[in-house]
Amino acid sequence: MHLEDLTGRHVAVWGTGREAIAAAEAIAPYGPARMIAVQDRTTFLATGWDGRLAEIAPLYEGEAAHDQLRSIDVIVRSPIIGQTHPWIVEHRARGGVVTGGTALWMADHATRTVGVTGSKGKSTTTTLIHQMLAAVGRQATLGGNIGVAALALPESERYVLELSVYQCADLEDSPRVVALTSLFQEHLDWSGSESGYYRDKLNVAMHGAEVVVYNGQDERLAAELHQLGAGLELPLVAGNRPDSFHVAEHPDGRRWIFLAGEPLFPRDLFAPVGRHNEGNLCVALAAVQGEGVDCLTHRDDLARAVGEYAPLTYRMTELPDPSGLTFVDDSLSTIPQSAMYAIEAYADRPLTVIVGGSLDRAVDYTPLRDYLEQRKITATLIGLPDNGDVILDLLRDLPGITTLSTGDLVHAVRLSREVTPAGGVVLLSPAAPSYGRYDNWEHKSRVFREAIQFTAA
């Protein structure tokens, strides 16, 4: 479905976040007979829906939204709206169309796009592909699940998009090059089942992709890809295998990235550690090759790009610990909304959250309370000076929430080791600025990481 196919149709944009805003603004010029925005419930991570947005697509919420959907032809859903949502099921049963902003965009841009997805590793791989293409003189625009929503992207010669399962599920046109990093059970509530999740995720490759690059070391990914693609003659290219891009011992005694038998550059140029990140790098290189780049000829350019790769160090950076706990550095979280996003990412595991920073009486922490209450989050929250107690005072009576106060970050980390169950997550997401007791969020991050090491003994 193209944007122009919505001309004269009755359309509902479901959601009020960045994807929904981009969809409403992109659809409006094509003249739908009627366009509305709907929300099944109030969300505390949503953007205000007013001004021009309210004019082109009036917002309906709750049962009023449900009633309005009965006269709608096409629902353009935001990523969080799942396959199993009763309203989606009802709409499809009436013969209605369900699509997403990324699907509408891809219909017109697939031939110029590298699409990257996977249960994990997609952000790293997407960024690597973007940087390596730039290094060989092939500028591309980065977007999708990372950064700018597809329908808000500027016109470009080529694109590199990170795609979530939510965005993959609605695609009717595959990117020209598809890169798949990993596959395991995730988002089962959204897709309805394990098999449904695999189907939705791998749908990205099922509609005319010219090159499908996948992690050859991921047995589940390989098996599901071959099963779902049976009869489609998918143009599969396995990465992270000895006959393609892989990591192996070099005669110099170090581990290198190879293309089959040809060495490209040392593994230690790539800062992220772990075998999974080696797999991401190999998949990224295979995708760049799929874009027509001679990786042997350009090995020096690619090595430079890989060496310059710099992940966001202070934004939801996982720091595994010998204890089995996962510490997460989200020092960049300086407002309650960013802490809510971080909590959402780890809400399915035993969770301890360290909050608090500079005291600013103008900050309203009610949205954080509302979010925790509505989502029925279970977690221990540890409050740091100067405003940790202010935050905790607002949350103490919530079911599932345990609150503890402490005087400094080192003690907070020590305390978190005592109260967090095995396999759990300790998340530093302050929801407040770091200045006052710390120079900035980088200083706070450094103290956090030092405290993890100090308390490990």
Side-chain angles (χ1 to χ4, degrees), residues 25-158:
E25 292 180 340
I27 294 167
Y30 289 89
R34 181 178 181 233
M35 181 166 62
I36 61 172
V38 298
Q39 279 282 50
D40 55 336
R41 58 185 175 83
T42 301
T43 61
F44 302 101
L45 304 180
T47 305
W49 197 270
D50 49 27
R52 169 171 162 73
L53 289 171
E55 292 178 8
I56 62 176
L59 175 63
Y60 296 86
E61 297 183 281
E63 281 307 309
H66 192 192
D67 292 340
Q68 291 292 326
L69 286 179
R70 294 188 175 95
S71 61
I72 291 299
D73 302 325
V74 181
I75 293 176
V76 181
R77 60 175 168 178
S78 293
I80 197 63
I81 310 304
Q83 304 282 52
T84 59
H85 194 292
W87 297 1
I88 292 292
V89 175
E90 288 177 15
H91 182 73
R92 283 179 165 148
R94 289 194 294 266
V97 175
V98 177
T99 188
T102 302
L104 291 169
W105 180 90
M106 195 69 73
D108 293 315
H109 299 87
T111 59
R112 291 180 278 159
T113 301
V114 178
V116 184
T117 196
S119 298
K120 294 296 178 188
K122 52 187 176 290
S123 295
T124 298
T125 306
T126 303
T127 307
L128 272 170
I129 293 169
H130 181 251
Q131 291 184 193
M132 287 192 287
L133 287 175
V136 299
R138 302 194 182 196
Q139 297 298 326
T141 296
L142 182 70
N145 196 54
I146 182 171
V148 180
L151 282 173
L153 289 170
E155 191 60 26
S156 178
E157 182 179 349
R158 63 178 56 84

Side-chain angles (χ1 to χ4, degrees), residues 180-310:
L180 304 167
T181 63
S182 60
L183 191 67
F184 54 85
Q185 293 184 30
E186 195 178 26
H187 303 300
L188 303 190
D189 56 339
W190 192 91
S191 292
S193 65
E194 182 178 352
S195 61
Y197 168 71
Y198 297 154
R199 179 195 62 240
D200 289 339
K201 195 72 166 173
L202 298 182
N203 183 59
V204 65
M206 303 298 162
H207 302 281
E210 294 183 23
V211 180
V212 180
V213 175
Y214 69 100
N215 184 348
Q217 294 296 315
D218 189 316
E219 295 181 1
R220 176 176 288 160
L221 172 59
E224 293 292 334
L225 190 57
H226 283 83
Q227 178 179 336
L228 289 169
L232 295 179
E233 298 184 1
L234 292 180
L236 297 176
V237 176
N240 200 20
R241 288 200 326 201
D243 59 346
S244 62
F245 295 95
H246 67 286
V247 180
E249 295 295 324
H250 189 273
D252 69 1
R254 293 188 295 170
R255 300 174 75 236
W256 277 55
I257 306 296
F258 283 78
L259 173 52
E262 290 290 332
L264 295 179
F265 48 79
R267 159 64 177 93
D268 57 17
L269 282 181
F270 186 43
V273 298
R275 298 282 181 178
H276 64 292
N277 276 315
E278 293 176 359
N280 294 334
L281 175 56
C282 292
V283 170
L285 284 163
V288 169
Q289 185 181 59
E291 271 289 279
V293 175
D294 186 330
C295 292
L296 293 175
T297 299
H298 290 284
R299 72 182 82 193
D300 291 341
D301 298 319
L302 297 173
R304 184 178 69 255
V306 169
E308 292 173 352
Y309 176 79

Side-chain angles (χ1 to χ4, degrees), residues 6-30:
L6 299 179
T7 301
R9 307 287 290 274
H10 293 259
V11 179
V13 174
W14 190 337
T16 57
R18 68 183 183 97
E19 293 266 356
I21 291 171
E25 292 180 340
I27 294 167
Y30 289 89

